[in-house]
Amino acid sequence: MGRIALSPADHRLAFALLGAVALVPLGVQSEYWLGVLITGLYFAMLAQNWNLLAGITGLFSMAPSAFAMVGAYTTGLLSHHLGIGPWVGIPAGAVVSAVVGFGLGRITLRLRGAYLALTTLAFSEILRLVVANSIEWTRGDLGLSVPGILGGAKAPILYLFLGVLAAYQVLLMLLLRSRVGLFLLAIRDDEVGAVARGVDVVRYKTLAFTLSAAGCGIAGALFVHFLQLASPELGLILQTGLVISMVVIGGMGTATGPLVGALLVQVASEALREVGVRHLLVFSALVILVGRFFREGLMGLLARRRSPARLVARPASDAKRLA
Amino acid sequence: MLTVEIVFAGLLMGSFYALMALGLTLVFGILKIVNFAHGEFFMIGAYAYTLLVTRAGLPQVPAMLSAVVLGAAVGLVMERLLMRPLYTGVIGPGALRDEYAIIVTFGLSIFLINLSHQVLGPYPVKGPDLVATSRMELFGMFVSPHRLLASGLAAATLALIVWLIKTTVWGKRVQAVAQNRFGAAIAGIDHARVSALVLALSGGIVALSGALLSPLFHAYPDVGAFPAVKSFVVVVLGGMGSIPGSILGGLLLGVLENFGAIYVSYEYRDTFGFIILMLVLLLRPQGLFGERAREV
Amino acid sequence: MSAALLALSGLRKSFGGILAVADVTLAIAPGELVGLIGPNGSGKTTLLNLITGFYPPEHGRVRLLDRDVSGQPPDAIFRAGLTRMFQQVRVFRRLTALQNLEVAGRAAGLSAAAARQRAGRLLERLGLAPHAGDEVGALSGGQQKLVEFGGCFMSEPRLVVLDEPFAAIHPTVKQVMVDVIGERHAAGQAFLVVSHDIPAIMRLCPRTVCMNAGAVIADGPTEQVMTDRGVVEAYLGGHAR
C-alpha cells in the first residue's frame, strides 16, 4: 500500500475533502444536519489522532475516547467549578491530555500488539469508571453542563472544528515529510530493526502517544462545548470501537482514510438510524470484511482503481531519479 | 467460618474463570493471538441456553448441550473464515499479523454484540436454575445448589480438557502445533484442522460457562464483556498459553475478588480487574508462569 | 589498548541458569576484518547482542573507541559508530527500498537530500536500483537481505557487525555481499562477521575468533584457528553444550 499512503496525492485529497466540507454550510441550512457534520468532524479528529498512533506508528491503542474524555472533563471541570471560559479550557484540555498521554506512552514502552491493546483498554476503562464514580466532582452519569461557544450557532462552530482539523492535517503532513514521520513508519514495521538503525524509539513512541493524546483531548474539549454537556459516555470503549471502525474502513495509515471513514460513517449512521438498523452492526461487519479482504480500506480500493500498475515494480524511471 | 465461606464461594466462581481462561489460552497457544471476541462466546452460550429453555421449551440438559455445540460451531466458522490468514502465510510475521488479529477479532466482538442487540433486543432474559432449591447446607455453610452443580460441571470440564490435551494423541498434536506449527506440519500433522478444532473447543467451553452462569448473570448483548476482561486478567496473570497458569490464576482471581468485594470498596469493584491487568502487563507481562519471548 | 576500535573485557551474560557468554575479552583494531565462528549455542549471537546494546552485560565492559558504551541502548550504539545485521532479516516491509536505507541515513544526521543520494548510490552498488521505489515486503528474501545489508553502511560506521549474513541465500546475492565487504575492507572499514560458512570466512577474514560454550577458545590468524584442535573438536561435538 505504500504507494498511495501518505503520498502527495493522499495529502491533496485530504485537503480537498476538508475544502468540500467547508462548502456544505453554504448549501445546507438544516441545523440538524450541520450538527451531524460537526459530530462527524469530532470523530474525524479522533480518527486522525488514532491513525497517527496506530496506523503510522503501529501502536494499537484502545484509549482515544479516554483521552477525548480527559480533554472534555478538564475544560468541563474548569468551567463548572472555577468558571473558567472555554478559550482557556480547551487549550488546558489539550495540555492535560498530552501529559496523561506522555505518561501512558512511557509506561507502555515495552508492550506491543495485543498486550498494548489490553493495557490501553484497561487504562481507558479505569479512567471512565473513575470519572463516572467521582460524583461529587463530575456528577457522574448525569453529566456536567458546560458553556457553549460562538453563541451556539452551528455554522461558525463547524468552521471552528474544520479549522482545527485542517491545522491538524497540516501538522501531520509536515511531520510525515520530516524524518520523524519516516522514523514512526519504521517503528511501525519493525521496532527492533528501527532501534538498530539508530532511531530513538523511546523518544518517538512517546512523542506519538503525546501528540495523539493531545489531539484527542482538544477534540473532546471542543465537542463538549458544542454539546454543552460532558458525560462519561464519551470514554466508552464503544466510542473507541467506532473510531477504529472509521479508520479501518477509510484506510489505516493514510492521510485521507480517517477523514473519509469518519465522515462516511457519520452520515451513514443517520441513514441507518432511519431504517432502524444499529449502525455499529453494519460498521463492524465492514471492519471485518475490510480487515479480511481489503486491508487498505477505501483508500486502498481507490488507489488500485486509479493506477493498478503502481502496485507493480517501477522500471527505469526510478533509476534516473537516483543519479 | 466466614473466611472459609469466602474462599469456598471464591473457588466456585473461580472454576468458571479458570474454564474461560483456559479457552482463551488455548487459542493463544495455537494461533498466538489474543481473541478479542472471547466474551461473545459467553454471550452466545447464555442466550442459547436461556432462549432454548424459555422460548423453545427444551429441557435444561439438551439446552445446555445445544449451547455448547453452538459455541463450538461459531468457533469453527470463525477459524475457517477469519483466522486462516494468520498461518497460511498471506500476512507476514510480526506487526501486520498482530494488527490483523486485533482488528478482526475486535470487529467480530462488536459485530456479535450488536447483532444480538438488533435481533434479540437489549433487555436481559433469565433462564431457570439447574437445580430448583435455592439454598442448601454444606459443611455448615449455606450454598446455592445451582452454583455448586454448575461449578462442579465447570471443574469436570476443566479436568476433561486437561486430560485430553496432556494424554491423548490428539492432545499431543495440539501441543505440537502450539509449540511449532511449521515443524508439526512437516511431521504430517494437519495443523489447519487442529487450529479449527481448538477454536471450536474454546468456543464450546466458553459457551458452557455462559450457559451455566446465565441463571445468575442473565443474558443480554454485552454480558460477555466482564467475563472477557476477567479472562484476560487471568491469562495475563497466569501467563499466555500456560494451562496451569490459567487454572490457578482463575481460582486465585475468584477468591481474591470475593475478598475484595466484601472488604474493599464496592463502587470501584469493577476497576479491580482492570487495575490488576494493567499492573501485571506493566510489571511482569509474561505472567507468573509464562516465558519471556526472546526478541532478538 | 587505546588503539582498539572495539574492546570487550570480561563480558558475562546468563539467562536463567545458563551462562551464555562467559568472561569474554576481545579487541578489534580499526579496519580489521574478523570472523566469529562456533557451534550452535556457543554464545555468538548473545555476544553480538551485548555488543550492539540489545542486552546489558551482567559483568564486564564494551568500549568503542575508548568510550564505554556498556548497557547503552542500540540506537546510541548506532550513533557511536557501530551498525549490525540480524540473523533473521529485519527490514521495514511497508517502506520502499530507498526509504529503508534513508531511515539509517536520517538517524545518522544526514539531510533528506543527502540521505536519498547515498541510499541511491548504495542501492545501485547492490544491484537494487530498479527496485528503489518498491515496497520491500514485495521483494524476494535475498533482495530483502541486501536491503538490510545496505542499511549498515548509511551512517559510515566504524564497525559493521554481520550475524550469519550468508545463511540461506542465493549464491549471487552472497557474492554481492562478499564483494562489497571486500571493497569496504580495502577502504578501511572494520567488520565482525559471524558465520557458519567456514569457506567464506576463510576466504574473507584474515583473523578468526572461535567461541564455544560462551567462551573464546581460539583467536588468531584464520588458517591457524581453523586447524586448531580445540576448534575442530568443538565443531565435531567434543565439548559442545
mmCIF file of all heavy atoms in Angstrom, chain A residues 1-3 179 182-183 186 188-190 192 194-200 313-314 322, chain C residues 54 74-75 78-79 84 86 90 92-95 103-104 106-107 130 132 134-135 148:
data_model
loop_
_atom_site.group_PDB
_atom_site.id
_atom_site.type_symbol
_atom_site.label_atom_id
_atom_site.label_comp_id
_atom_site.label_asym_id
_atom_site.label_seq_id
_atom_site.Cartn_x
_atom_site.Cartn_y
_atom_site.Cartn_z
ATOM 1 N N MET A 1 0.817 -1.209 0.000
ATOM 2 C CA MET A 1 0.000 0.000 0.000
ATOM 3 C C MET A 1 0.845 1.250 0.000
ATOM 4 O O MET A 1 0.351 2.330 -0.252
ATOM 5 C CB MET A 1 -0.898 -0.013 1.239
ATOM 6 C CG MET A 1 -1.463 1.353 1.377
ATOM 7 S SD MET A 1 -3.000 1.651 2.120
ATOM 8 C CE MET A 1 -2.701 1.480 3.810
ATOM 9 N N GLY A 2 2.119 1.094 0.256
ATOM 10 C CA GLY A 2 2.974 2.259 0.419
ATOM 11 C C GLY A 2 2.871 3.293 -0.673
ATOM 12 O O GLY A 2 3.279 4.438 -0.499
ATOM 13 N N ARG A 3 2.287 2.950 -1.805
ATOM 14 C CA ARG A 3 2.289 3.897 -2.907
ATOM 15 C C ARG A 3 1.334 5.057 -2.680
ATOM 16 O O ARG A 3 1.696 6.198 -2.844
ATOM 17 C CB ARG A 3 1.939 3.184 -4.198
ATOM 18 C CG ARG A 3 2.755 1.936 -4.397
ATOM 19 C CD ARG A 3 4.232 2.152 -4.052
ATOM 20 N NE ARG A 3 4.926 2.897 -5.069
ATOM 21 C CZ ARG A 3 5.178 2.441 -6.279
ATOM 22 N NH1 ARG A 3 4.762 1.259 -6.644
ATOM 23 N NH2 ARG A 3 5.832 3.189 -7.134
ATOM 24 N N ARG A 179 11.890 13.793 9.087
ATOM 25 C CA ARG A 179 12.435 12.470 9.402
ATOM 26 C C ARG A 179 11.615 11.794 10.500
ATOM 27 O O ARG A 179 11.621 10.577 10.606
ATOM 28 C CB ARG A 179 13.899 12.590 9.793
ATOM 29 C CG ARG A 179 14.145 13.347 11.069
ATOM 30 C CD ARG A 179 15.616 13.406 11.391
ATOM 31 N NE ARG A 179 15.833 13.712 12.795
ATOM 32 C CZ ARG A 179 16.956 13.478 13.444
ATOM 33 N NH1 ARG A 179 17.967 12.928 12.804
ATOM 34 N NH2 ARG A 179 17.077 13.780 14.706
ATOM 35 N N LEU A 182 9.255 9.397 8.973
ATOM 36 C CA LEU A 182 9.944 8.194 8.495
ATOM 37 C C LEU A 182 10.248 7.263 9.667
ATOM 38 O O LEU A 182 10.071 6.055 9.579
ATOM 39 C CB LEU A 182 11.241 8.620 7.805
ATOM 40 C CG LEU A 182 11.996 7.556 7.018
ATOM 41 C CD1 LEU A 182 11.148 7.030 5.867
ATOM 42 C CD2 LEU A 182 13.304 8.120 6.493
ATOM 43 N N PHE A 183 10.698 7.840 10.766
ATOM 44 C CA PHE A 183 11.020 7.036 11.933
ATOM 45 C C PHE A 183 9.782 6.335 12.482
ATOM 46 O O PHE A 183 9.821 5.165 12.857
ATOM 47 C CB PHE A 183 11.638 7.908 13.035
ATOM 48 C CG PHE A 183 13.015 8.426 12.704
ATOM 49 C CD1 PHE A 183 13.575 9.454 13.440
ATOM 50 C CD2 PHE A 183 13.756 7.884 11.663
ATOM 51 C CE1 PHE A 183 14.841 9.942 13.147
ATOM 52 C CE2 PHE A 183 15.017 8.367 11.354
ATOM 53 C CZ PHE A 183 15.569 9.394 12.101
ATOM 54 N N ALA A 186 8.962 3.463 10.389
ATOM 55 C CA ALA A 186 9.927 2.390 10.610
ATOM 56 C C ALA A 186 9.601 1.638 11.898
ATOM 57 O O ALA A 186 9.641 0.413 11.946
ATOM 58 C CB ALA A 186 11.343 2.966 10.669
ATOM 59 N N ARG A 188 6.743 1.316 13.195
ATOM 60 C CA ARG A 188 5.563 0.518 12.910
ATOM 61 C C ARG A 188 5.940 -0.823 12.292
ATOM 62 O O ARG A 188 5.428 -1.865 12.674
ATOM 63 C CB ARG A 188 4.625 1.267 11.963
ATOM 64 C CG ARG A 188 3.439 0.439 11.492
ATOM 65 C CD ARG A 188 2.652 1.137 10.404
ATOM 66 N NE ARG A 188 3.396 1.168 9.158
ATOM 67 C CZ ARG A 188 2.912 1.649 8.015
ATOM 68 N NH1 ARG A 188 1.702 2.136 7.969
ATOM 69 N NH2 ARG A 188 3.654 1.654 6.940
ATOM 70 N N ASP A 189 6.814 -0.790 11.320
ATOM 71 C CA ASP A 189 7.136 -2.017 10.606
ATOM 72 C C ASP A 189 8.060 -2.953 11.370
ATOM 73 O O ASP A 189 7.951 -4.161 11.263
ATOM 74 C CB ASP A 189 7.773 -1.685 9.248
ATOM 75 C CG ASP A 189 6.731 -1.270 8.229
ATOM 76 O OD1 ASP A 189 5.528 -1.394 8.526
ATOM 77 O OD2 ASP A 189 7.117 -0.817 7.141
ATOM 78 N N ASP A 190 8.985 -2.413 12.118
ATOM 79 C CA ASP A 190 9.916 -3.265 12.858
ATOM 80 C C ASP A 190 10.638 -2.426 13.897
ATOM 81 O O ASP A 190 11.608 -1.752 13.596
ATOM 82 C CB ASP A 190 10.930 -3.905 11.898
ATOM 83 C CG ASP A 190 11.766 -4.953 12.591
ATOM 84 O OD1 ASP A 190 11.840 -4.977 13.838
ATOM 85 O OD2 ASP A 190 12.354 -5.775 11.877
ATOM 86 N N VAL A 192 12.432 -3.340 16.501
ATOM 87 C CA VAL A 192 13.806 -3.764 16.781
ATOM 88 C C VAL A 192 14.735 -3.296 15.661
ATOM 89 O O VAL A 192 15.821 -2.777 15.908
ATOM 90 C CB VAL A 192 13.871 -5.299 16.941
ATOM 91 C CG1 VAL A 192 15.303 -5.769 17.000
ATOM 92 C CG2 VAL A 192 13.126 -5.729 18.189
ATOM 93 N N ALA A 194 14.279 -0.795 13.779
ATOM 94 C CA ALA A 194 14.394 0.663 13.839
ATOM 95 C C ALA A 194 15.442 1.094 14.854
ATOM 96 O O ALA A 194 16.279 1.951 14.570
ATOM 97 C CB ALA A 194 13.042 1.274 14.183
ATOM 98 N N VAL A 195 15.399 0.487 16.024
ATOM 99 C CA VAL A 195 16.352 0.908 17.051
ATOM 100 C C VAL A 195 17.781 0.537 16.641
ATOM 101 O O VAL A 195 18.729 1.260 16.953
ATOM 102 C CB VAL A 195 15.967 0.331 18.440
ATOM 103 C CG1 VAL A 195 16.329 -1.123 18.554
ATOM 104 C CG2 VAL A 195 16.611 1.129 19.544
ATOM 105 N N ALA A 196 17.902 -0.564 15.897
ATOM 106 C CA ALA A 196 19.231 -0.950 15.421
ATOM 107 C C ALA A 196 19.733 0.010 14.351
ATOM 108 O O ALA A 196 20.931 0.093 14.098
ATOM 109 C CB ALA A 196 19.205 -2.371 14.862
ATOM 110 N N ARG A 197 18.791 0.732 13.727
ATOM 111 C CA ARG A 197 19.181 1.702 12.702
ATOM 112 C C ARG A 197 19.263 3.101 13.278
ATOM 113 O O ARG A 197 19.170 4.079 12.554
ATOM 114 C CB ARG A 197 18.150 1.702 11.563
ATOM 115 C CG ARG A 197 18.157 0.448 10.732
ATOM 116 C CD ARG A 197 19.153 0.523 9.601
ATOM 117 N NE ARG A 197 19.243 -0.746 8.903
ATOM 118 C CZ ARG A 197 20.204 -1.639 9.123
ATOM 119 N NH1 ARG A 197 21.153 -1.395 9.992
ATOM 120 N NH2 ARG A 197 20.217 -2.770 8.460
ATOM 121 N N GLY A 198 19.382 3.196 14.596
ATOM 122 C CA GLY A 198 19.635 4.485 15.205
ATOM 123 C C GLY A 198 18.416 5.313 15.554
ATOM 124 O O GLY A 198 18.547 6.457 15.973
ATOM 125 N N VAL A 199 17.216 4.750 15.385
ATOM 126 C CA VAL A 199 16.025 5.531 15.719
ATOM 127 C C VAL A 199 15.806 5.494 17.232
ATOM 128 O O VAL A 199 15.773 4.429 17.826
ATOM 129 C CB VAL A 199 14.776 4.949 15.019
ATOM 130 C CG1 VAL A 199 13.529 5.705 15.437
ATOM 131 C CG2 VAL A 199 14.954 4.989 13.518
ATOM 132 N N ASP A 200 15.675 6.658 17.831
ATOM 133 C CA ASP A 200 15.440 6.723 19.273
ATOM 134 C C ASP A 200 13.987 6.336 19.520
ATOM 135 O O ASP A 200 13.109 7.196 19.649
ATOM 136 C CB ASP A 200 15.733 8.138 19.776
ATOM 137 C CG ASP A 200 15.715 8.239 21.289
ATOM 138 O OD1 ASP A 200 15.168 7.340 21.949
ATOM 139 O OD2 ASP A 200 16.247 9.237 21.815
ATOM 140 N N ALA A 313 6.362 -3.344 -9.648
ATOM 141 C CA ALA A 313 7.668 -2.678 -9.636
ATOM 142 C C ALA A 313 7.804 -1.678 -10.766
ATOM 143 O O ALA A 313 7.442 -1.944 -11.897
ATOM 144 C CB ALA A 313 8.774 -3.732 -9.754
ATOM 145 N N ARG A 314 8.318 -0.527 -10.401
ATOM 146 C CA ARG A 314 8.512 0.500 -11.423
ATOM 147 C C ARG A 314 9.879 0.330 -12.061
ATOM 148 O O ARG A 314 10.863 0.189 -11.353
ATOM 149 C CB ARG A 314 8.422 1.878 -10.776
ATOM 150 C CG ARG A 314 7.027 2.450 -10.846
ATOM 151 C CD ARG A 314 7.069 3.927 -10.945
ATOM 152 N NE ARG A 314 7.282 4.565 -9.651
ATOM 153 C CZ ARG A 314 6.742 5.738 -9.333
ATOM 154 N NH1 ARG A 314 5.987 6.366 -10.175
ATOM 155 N NH2 ARG A 314 7.001 6.272 -8.180
ATOM 156 N N LEU A 322 17.664 8.604 -9.332
ATOM 157 C CA LEU A 322 18.681 8.412 -8.318
ATOM 158 C C LEU A 322 20.057 8.934 -8.705
ATOM 159 O O LEU A 322 20.976 8.917 -7.904
ATOM 160 C CB LEU A 322 18.812 6.912 -8.007
ATOM 161 C CG LEU A 322 17.544 6.252 -7.455
ATOM 162 C CD1 LEU A 322 17.728 4.761 -7.387
ATOM 163 C CD2 LEU A 322 17.226 6.793 -6.077
ATOM 164 N N PHE C 54 21.592 -4.707 22.769
ATOM 165 C CA PHE C 54 20.285 -5.329 22.966
ATOM 166 C C PHE C 54 20.163 -6.020 24.305
ATOM 167 O O PHE C 54 19.066 -6.260 24.787
ATOM 168 C CB PHE C 54 19.969 -6.289 21.805
ATOM 169 C CG PHE C 54 19.531 -5.552 20.571
ATOM 170 C CD1 PHE C 54 20.455 -5.203 19.605
ATOM 171 C CD2 PHE C 54 18.217 -5.177 20.408
ATOM 172 C CE1 PHE C 54 20.063 -4.488 18.475
ATOM 173 C CE2 PHE C 54 17.818 -4.465 19.282
ATOM 174 C CZ PHE C 54 18.743 -4.122 18.316
ATOM 175 N N PRO C 74 20.544 0.307 21.761
ATOM 176 C CA PRO C 74 21.074 0.096 20.405
ATOM 177 C C PRO C 74 21.166 1.371 19.565
ATOM 178 O O PRO C 74 22.084 1.504 18.759
ATOM 179 C CB PRO C 74 20.077 -0.890 19.794
ATOM 180 C CG PRO C 74 19.507 -1.620 20.947
ATOM 181 C CD PRO C 74 19.461 -0.637 22.061
ATOM 182 N N ASP C 75 20.233 2.289 19.748
ATOM 183 C CA ASP C 75 20.320 3.476 18.896
ATOM 184 C C ASP C 75 21.496 4.356 19.289
ATOM 185 O O ASP C 75 22.106 5.014 18.442
ATOM 186 C CB ASP C 75 18.999 4.276 18.903
ATOM 187 C CG ASP C 75 18.540 4.645 20.284
ATOM 188 O OD1 ASP C 75 18.244 3.728 21.072
ATOM 189 O OD2 ASP C 75 18.461 5.846 20.573
ATOM 190 N N PHE C 78 24.440 2.748 17.649
ATOM 191 C CA PHE C 78 24.447 3.092 16.229
ATOM 192 C C PHE C 78 25.118 4.448 16.038
ATOM 193 O O PHE C 78 25.973 4.616 15.171
ATOM 194 C CB PHE C 78 23.003 3.125 15.716
ATOM 195 C CG PHE C 78 22.842 3.652 14.317
ATOM 196 C CD1 PHE C 78 22.852 2.780 13.231
ATOM 197 C CD2 PHE C 78 22.673 5.005 14.067
ATOM 198 C CE1 PHE C 78 22.682 3.252 11.936
ATOM 199 C CE2 PHE C 78 22.514 5.487 12.777
ATOM 200 C CZ PHE C 78 22.517 4.612 11.714
ATOM 201 N N ARG C 79 24.731 5.407 16.866
ATOM 202 C CA ARG C 79 25.298 6.754 16.730
ATOM 203 C C ARG C 79 26.771 6.775 17.116
ATOM 204 O O ARG C 79 27.521 7.624 16.651
ATOM 205 C CB ARG C 79 24.505 7.753 17.577
ATOM 206 C CG ARG C 79 23.164 8.118 16.960
ATOM 207 C CD ARG C 79 22.502 9.251 17.712
ATOM 208 N NE ARG C 79 22.086 8.863 19.044
ATOM 209 C CZ ARG C 79 20.918 8.295 19.326
ATOM 210 N NH1 ARG C 79 20.060 8.063 18.360
ATOM 211 N NH2 ARG C 79 20.603 7.971 20.560
ATOM 212 N N ARG C 84 24.661 -3.059 12.604
ATOM 213 C CA ARG C 84 24.592 -4.523 12.566
ATOM 214 C C ARG C 84 23.513 -5.031 11.627
ATOM 215 O O ARG C 84 22.583 -4.302 11.250
ATOM 216 C CB ARG C 84 24.315 -5.061 13.964
ATOM 217 C CG ARG C 84 22.876 -4.853 14.388
ATOM 218 C CD ARG C 84 22.530 -5.635 15.637
ATOM 219 N NE ARG C 84 22.407 -7.065 15.398
ATOM 220 C CZ ARG C 84 22.164 -7.945 16.356
ATOM 221 N NH1 ARG C 84 22.045 -7.562 17.598
ATOM 222 N NH2 ARG C 84 22.042 -9.228 16.069
ATOM 223 N N PHE C 86 20.910 -8.600 11.249
ATOM 224 C CA PHE C 86 20.340 -9.637 12.098
ATOM 225 C C PHE C 86 20.329 -10.983 11.402
ATOM 226 O O PHE C 86 20.347 -11.070 10.182
ATOM 227 C CB PHE C 86 18.912 -9.278 12.497
ATOM 228 C CG PHE C 86 18.823 -8.127 13.445
ATOM 229 C CD1 PHE C 86 18.736 -6.830 12.966
ATOM 230 C CD2 PHE C 86 18.835 -8.343 14.807
ATOM 231 C CE1 PHE C 86 18.653 -5.761 13.838
ATOM 232 C CE2 PHE C 86 18.753 -7.279 15.687
ATOM 233 C CZ PHE C 86 18.665 -5.985 15.205
ATOM 234 N N ARG C 90 15.656 -8.299 8.994
ATOM 235 C CA ARG C 90 14.803 -7.249 9.538
ATOM 236 C C ARG C 90 14.804 -6.054 8.610
ATOM 237 O O ARG C 90 15.815 -5.361 8.481
ATOM 238 C CB ARG C 90 15.312 -6.803 10.907
ATOM 239 C CG ARG C 90 14.991 -7.781 11.989
ATOM 240 C CD ARG C 90 15.284 -7.207 13.352
ATOM 241 N NE ARG C 90 14.935 -8.169 14.383
ATOM 242 C CZ ARG C 90 13.733 -8.275 14.915
ATOM 243 N NH1 ARG C 90 12.777 -7.474 14.538
ATOM 244 N NH2 ARG C 90 13.479 -9.188 15.833
ATOM 245 N N PHE C 92 11.952 -2.852 6.840
ATOM 246 C CA PHE C 92 10.692 -2.147 7.020
ATOM 247 C C PHE C 92 9.828 -2.465 5.808
ATOM 248 O O PHE C 92 9.958 -1.858 4.753
ATOM 249 C CB PHE C 92 10.941 -0.653 7.187
ATOM 250 C CG PHE C 92 11.964 -0.346 8.243
ATOM 251 C CD1 PHE C 92 13.135 0.309 7.932
ATOM 252 C CD2 PHE C 92 11.765 -0.763 9.551
ATOM 253 C CE1 PHE C 92 14.095 0.565 8.908
ATOM 254 C CE2 PHE C 92 12.715 -0.518 10.529
ATOM 255 C CZ PHE C 92 13.883 0.145 10.206
ATOM 256 N N ARG C 93 8.943 -3.453 5.993
ATOM 257 C CA ARG C 93 8.300 -4.071 4.842
ATOM 258 C C ARG C 93 7.406 -3.131 4.057
ATOM 259 O O ARG C 93 7.226 -3.317 2.860
ATOM 260 C CB ARG C 93 7.492 -5.280 5.307
ATOM 261 C CG ARG C 93 8.291 -6.135 6.288
ATOM 262 C CD ARG C 93 7.674 -7.441 6.501
ATOM 263 N NE ARG C 93 7.811 -8.178 5.255
ATOM 264 C CZ ARG C 93 7.227 -9.308 4.966
ATOM 265 N NH1 ARG C 93 6.442 -9.842 5.807
ATOM 266 N NH2 ARG C 93 7.408 -9.909 3.830
ATOM 267 N N ARG C 94 6.801 -2.175 4.746
ATOM 268 C CA ARG C 94 5.882 -1.305 4.021
ATOM 269 C C ARG C 94 6.545 -0.036 3.502
ATOM 270 O O ARG C 94 5.903 0.813 2.905
ATOM 271 C CB ARG C 94 4.662 -0.972 4.899
ATOM 272 C CG ARG C 94 3.705 -2.144 4.995
ATOM 273 C CD ARG C 94 2.512 -1.846 5.881
ATOM 274 N NE ARG C 94 2.804 -2.113 7.284
ATOM 275 C CZ ARG C 94 1.899 -2.043 8.252
ATOM 276 N NH1 ARG C 94 0.665 -1.701 7.967
ATOM 277 N NH2 ARG C 94 2.227 -2.287 9.492
ATOM 278 N N LEU C 95 7.840 0.079 3.730
ATOM 279 C CA LEU C 95 8.584 1.207 3.160
ATOM 280 C C LEU C 95 9.302 0.737 1.911
ATOM 281 O O LEU C 95 9.556 -0.453 1.744
ATOM 282 C CB LEU C 95 9.605 1.737 4.178
ATOM 283 C CG LEU C 95 9.031 2.345 5.455
ATOM 284 C CD1 LEU C 95 10.162 2.838 6.341
ATOM 285 C CD2 LEU C 95 8.099 3.492 5.129
ATOM 286 N N VAL C 103 16.143 5.653 6.404
ATOM 287 C CA VAL C 103 15.940 5.668 7.856
ATOM 288 C C VAL C 103 17.284 5.758 8.567
ATOM 289 O O VAL C 103 17.493 6.606 9.432
ATOM 290 C CB VAL C 103 15.176 4.410 8.331
ATOM 291 C CG1 VAL C 103 15.139 4.356 9.844
ATOM 292 C CG2 VAL C 103 13.771 4.408 7.770
ATOM 293 N N ALA C 104 18.190 4.863 8.163
ATOM 294 C CA ALA C 104 19.510 4.861 8.800
ATOM 295 C C ALA C 104 20.242 6.176 8.534
ATOM 296 O O ALA C 104 20.900 6.730 9.411
ATOM 297 C CB ALA C 104 20.335 3.679 8.285
ATOM 298 N N ARG C 106 18.953 9.218 7.877
ATOM 299 C CA ARG C 106 18.392 10.332 8.646
ATOM 300 C C ARG C 106 18.727 10.189 10.121
ATOM 301 O O ARG C 106 18.978 11.174 10.810
ATOM 302 C CB ARG C 106 16.861 10.403 8.504
ATOM 303 C CG ARG C 106 16.297 10.574 7.109
ATOM 304 C CD ARG C 106 16.807 11.764 6.338
ATOM 305 N NE ARG C 106 16.577 13.049 6.978
ATOM 306 C CZ ARG C 106 15.491 13.803 6.841
ATOM 307 N NH1 ARG C 106 14.489 13.387 6.093
ATOM 308 N NH2 ARG C 106 15.403 14.964 7.437
ATOM 309 N N ALA C 107 18.732 8.967 10.613
ATOM 310 C CA ALA C 107 19.063 8.749 12.026
ATOM 311 C C ALA C 107 20.508 9.128 12.299
ATOM 312 O O ALA C 107 20.860 9.533 13.404
ATOM 313 C CB ALA C 107 18.819 7.292 12.409
ATOM 314 N N PRO C 130 16.687 -0.787 -9.682
ATOM 315 C CA PRO C 130 15.342 -0.866 -10.278
ATOM 316 C C PRO C 130 14.236 -1.013 -9.232
ATOM 317 O O PRO C 130 13.080 -0.738 -9.509
ATOM 318 C CB PRO C 130 15.405 -2.126 -11.153
ATOM 319 C CG PRO C 130 16.848 -2.428 -11.332
ATOM 320 C CD PRO C 130 17.554 -1.870 -10.162
ATOM 321 N N ALA C 132 14.247 0.507 -6.226
ATOM 322 C CA ALA C 132 14.334 1.564 -5.218
ATOM 323 C C ALA C 132 12.971 2.039 -4.730
ATOM 324 O O ALA C 132 12.792 2.329 -3.560
ATOM 325 C CB ALA C 132 15.116 2.746 -5.778
ATOM 326 N N ASP C 134 10.165 0.277 -4.783
ATOM 327 C CA ASP C 134 9.260 -0.828 -4.454
ATOM 328 C C ASP C 134 9.188 -1.060 -2.963
ATOM 329 O O ASP C 134 10.169 -0.904 -2.247
ATOM 330 C CB ASP C 134 9.740 -2.135 -5.100
ATOM 331 C CG ASP C 134 9.651 -2.091 -6.603
ATOM 332 O OD1 ASP C 134 8.918 -1.230 -7.126
ATOM 333 O OD2 ASP C 134 10.320 -2.916 -7.245
ATOM 334 N N GLU C 135 8.018 -1.473 -2.511
ATOM 335 C CA GLU C 135 7.866 -1.856 -1.114
ATOM 336 C C GLU C 135 8.736 -3.076 -0.849
ATOM 337 O O GLU C 135 8.663 -4.064 -1.580
ATOM 338 C CB GLU C 135 6.412 -2.240 -0.827
ATOM 339 C CG GLU C 135 5.617 -1.123 -0.206
ATOM 340 C CD GLU C 135 4.189 -1.528 0.114
ATOM 341 O OE1 GLU C 135 4.006 -2.611 0.695
ATOM 342 O OE2 GLU C 135 3.292 -0.765 -0.247
ATOM 343 N N GLU C 148 18.785 -4.874 3.883
ATOM 344 C CA GLU C 148 19.233 -4.775 5.273
ATOM 345 C C GLU C 148 20.739 -4.544 5.324
ATOM 346 O O GLU C 148 21.228 -3.724 6.093
ATOM 347 C CB GLU C 148 18.863 -6.042 6.035
ATOM 348 C CG GLU C 148 19.002 -5.860 7.539
ATOM 349 C CD GLU C 148 18.935 -7.160 8.322
ATOM 350 O OE1 GLU C 148 18.664 -8.218 7.727
ATOM 351 O OE2 GLU C 148 19.159 -7.107 9.534
#
